Amino acid sequence: MIIKEKGQLLLDYINRYVPLTEEEEQILLSKIGYRTYLKGQFVVQQGDICKYECFVLSGCTKTFYMDGEGQEHIVMFSIEDWWTADMGSFITQTPADYNVQCLEKTELIMFSYDIIEDLYAAIPKLERFFRLIIQNAFVASQKRIIRSFSLSAKERYVYFRNQYPKIEQRIPQYMIASYLGITKEFLSKIKSELIVEQ
Amino acid sequence: MIIKEKGQLLLDYINRYVPLTEEEEQILLSKIGYRTYLKGQFVVQQGDICKYECFVLSGCTKTFYMDGEGQEHIVMFSIEDWWTADMGSFITQTPADYNVQCLEKTELIMFSYDIIEDLYAAIPKLERFFRLIIQNAFVASQKRIIRSFSLSAKERYVYFRNQYPKIEQRIPQYMIASYLGITKEFLSKIKSELIVEQ
DNA sequence: ATAAAAAGTTAAACTAGATTAATATGATTT
DNA sequence: AAATCATATTAATCTAGTTTAACTTTTTAT
């Protein structure tokens, strides 16, 4: 059971999509977990089975894939009011393709695989809530595929900087390069070109 | 109202995720549309507001984005038992980023934006059904992003060929190149290298 | 059967971005 | 304050994939 004050951030978020009754809020709070991770700790490790969908209350995580050559490829960053997990592993309960690691001290609300079906049964509205959330995530993901094909590295960086100014400030540049799918050296070159241009 | 025989393909598909009662099946069939398109026709055009989520009964569509330079970027192909639409446009009812065009004579079942909320109200199970479908689509989309960064063009082509052998056979090669994010000339080169290698 | 259009191939010249390696800056620890 | 470690920069060389253009094969229409 989570303390009411922490849970409120999540309830506010959910209520933006589906209004919950007092009773439903109580049920929800009774079924979710809360946990703090320190900088550097892993929420999910590649190969493990992902047991939790997590809502970020504070802090920041990176979700990344380690390829055969030991190269890290960052798929996404998650900050306050975002979600984090390996959804593929969570929904199929098979080993995770991704790692989720905290870049700062991070507070999470955790929806366990073992209780989420009970939660859907108790509060059917949550089926709708998660459908809406995932729809948005899917649309964003499709748009990212388009950008990866139709924009140059410089254009993708400018897009990222405009879209997520808060994230750029708190994350080292070499991780942003990884997220953009380029080397840190090339991002450095892009940045110096942008300074000259403007 | 759609004829029962056609609707059955969709009902079988839905029943794999959520079992429907006879009555629910009747309601569903009464609320969906059916339409045939000819080769070359557009189901959605960039700039229009996407009014329908479509389930493919037969045929094949491509979903693509036309960039500023008039270059076509194919995001996905949809064949039997798949979905097609610009989901971003559908859920937000804003102008579509994508075109959906038929590559063959194509039969679609259409879920209209104007009735889909009624359908959720009448059959709450469908919230779950669409959540599950979209979850899968999102996971596939995330994996595609990873492939676009961590695999070479040749590796991506081999992956595509293994994953979607049925699609490769019925689609011109230059469209596969577009889907893979490379030029048709380079795909041609990759194919000749693969022949030499094996 | 022939012409025309669409799709696919090949090869040379070119470029966006990778690789390597050396150097610089900044943060953290002692 | 010095030493160490993580992060960022710069520049030379290299490569995967693009561009352009000429040519071949396949499909479609008449």
Side-chain angles (χ1 to χ4, degrees):
Chain A
M1 184 72 183
I2 185 174
I3 59 164
K4 174 82 190 192
E5 188 206 323
K6 292 289 185 195
Q8 198 56 49
L9 280 161
L10 173 66
L11 295 177
D12 290 346
Y13 179 88
I14 295 176
N15 277 302
R16 270 180 255 152
Y17 293 91
V18 294
L20 296 180
T21 65
E22 268 295 322
E23 201 200 337
E24 286 168 336
E25 292 191 349
Q26 284 313 312
I27 295 172
L28 182 74
L29 292 177
S30 76
K31 301 247 184 204
I32 58 183
Y34 167 81
R35 176 155 179 195
T36 303
Y37 286 92
L38 298 178
K39 180 173 176 172
Q41 288 190 301
F42 284 80
V43 181
V44 180
Q45 293 194 65
Q46 207 162 336
D48 289 355
I49 288 168
C50 177
K51 281 280 171 208
Y52 305 96
E53 277 294 326
C54 304
F55 178 78
V56 182
L57 291 176
S58 71
C60 181
T61 68
K62 66 173 173 182
T63 300
F64 66 100
Y65 164 76
M66 190 80 83
D67 71 19
E69 279 88 52
Q71 274 253 289
E72 206 178 292
H73 301 274
I74 297 178
V75 195
M76 70 172 187
F77 300 109
S78 303
I79 58 172
E80 302 82 51
D81 261 23
W82 292 35
W83 295 83
T84 193
D86 180 334
M87 188 180 290
S89 169
F90 182 82
I91 66 180
T92 60
Q93 290 290 292
T94 53
D97 295 322
Y98 305 113
N99 302 278
V100 177
Q101 188 178 19
C102 298
L103 303 178
E104 307 170 1
K105 177 165 177 287
T106 298
E107 292 179 294
L108 299 176
I109 284 185
M110 314 188 77
F111 288 78
S112 156
Y113 185 78
D114 299 329
I115 61 88
I116 203 163
E117 290 297 329
D118 298 349
L119 207 48
Y120 286 137
I123 314 174
K125 267 178 235 179
L126 290 180
E127 297 268 12
R128 181 182 182 83
F129 168 70
F130 281 107
R131 177 176 63 76
L132 295 171
I133 296 302
I134 295 162
Q135 266 181 359
N136 290 337
F138 174 66
V139 169
S141 181
Q142 292 284 92
K143 290 193 178 182
R144 191 164 166 219
I145 291 175
I146 282 294
R147 288 196 303 275
S148 82
F149 287 140
S150 62
L151 300 185
S152 69
K154 189 189 278 186
E155 289 167 326
R156 273 179 278 143
Y157 170 61
V158 170
Y159 179 88
F160 174 81
R161 211 172 49 171
N162 293 333
Q163 198 74 355
Y164 309 109
K166 278 181 208 163
I167 293 184
E168 200 197 357
Q169 278 147 32
R170 55 208 264 195
I171 286 174
Q173 198 169 303
Y174 72 92
M175 289 190 193
I176 292 166
S178 170
Y179 175 83
L180 295 172
I182 58 178
T183 59
K184 58 194 193 321
E185 291 84 358
F186 193 57
L187 178 55
S188 189
K189 190 175 174 188
I190 285 171
K191 288 185 79 165
S192 71
E193 283 173 11
L194 285 170
I195 289 164
V196 172
E197 284 169 22
Q198 205 47 260
Chain B
M1 183 76 182
I2 186 175
I3 61 165
K4 176 82 188 189
E5 188 206 321
K6 292 290 182 192
Q8 198 55 49
L9 281 162
L10 174 66
L11 295 176
D12 290 347
Y13 179 89
I14 295 175
N15 277 300
R16 270 180 255 153
Y17 292 91
V18 294
L20 296 180
T21 65
E22 268 295 321
E23 201 201 335
E24 286 169 334
E25 292 192 348
Q26 283 313 312
I27 295 172
L28 182 73
L29 292 178
S30 76
K31 301 246 185 205
I32 58 184
Y34 168 81
R35 177 156 178 192
T36 304
Y37 285 92
L38 298 177
K39 180 171 176 174
Q41 288 189 303
F42 284 80
V43 181
V44 180
Q45 293 195 66
Q46 206 161 338
D48 289 355
I49 288 168
C50 178
K51 280 280 169 207
Y52 305 96
E53 276 295 324
C54 304
F55 178 78
V56 182
L57 291 175
S58 72
C60 182
T61 67
K62 67 173 173 181
T63 299
F64 66 99
Y65 164 76
M66 189 80 82
D67 72 17
E69 278 88 52
Q71 274 251 292
E72 206 178 291
H73 301 275
I74 296 178
V75 196
M76 71 172 185
F77 300 109
S78 302
I79 59 171
E80 301 82 51
D81 261 19
W82 292 36
W83 294 83
T84 192
D86 180 334
M87 189 181 290
S89 169
F90 182 82
I91 67 182
T92 60
Q93 291 289 293
T94 53
D97 293 323
Y98 305 114
N99 303 279
V100 176
Q101 187 177 19
C102 298
L103 303 177
E104 307 171 1
K105 178 166 175 287
T106 299
E107 291 179 295
L108 299 176
I109 284 184
M110 314 188 76
F111 288 77
S112 156
Y113 185 79
D114 298 329
I115 62 89
I116 203 161
E117 290 298 329
D118 298 348
L119 207 49
Y120 286 137
I123 314 173
K125 266 178 235 179
L126 290 181
E127 297 268 11
R128 181 180 182 83
F129 168 71
F130 281 108
R131 175 176 63 77
L132 295 171
I133 296 301
I134 295 163
Q135 264 182 358
N136 291 337
F138 174 66
V139 169
S141 180
Q142 291 285 92
K143 291 193 175 179
R144 191 165 166 219
I145 290 174
I146 282 294
R147 290 196 302 277
S148 82
F149 287 140
S150 62
L151 301 184
S152 68
K154 189 189 276 187
E155 289 167 325
R156 274 179 277 143
Y157 170 62
V158 170
Y159 178 89
F160 174 81
R161 211 172 50 171
N162 293 334
Q163 198 75 353
Y164 309 108
K166 280 182 208 162
I167 293 184
E168 200 196 359
Q169 278 146 33
R170 55 208 265 197
I171 285 174
Q173 195 169 305
Y174 72 92
M175 289 188 193
I176 292 167
S178 170
Y179 175 83
L180 295 171
I182 58 177
T183 59
K184 58 194 194 317
E185 292 83 358
F186 192 56
L187 178 53
S188 188
K189 189 176 176 187
I190 285 172
K191 288 186 80 166
S192 70
E193 282 173 12
L194 286 170
I195 289 165
V196 173
E197 284 167 23
Q198 206 46 262

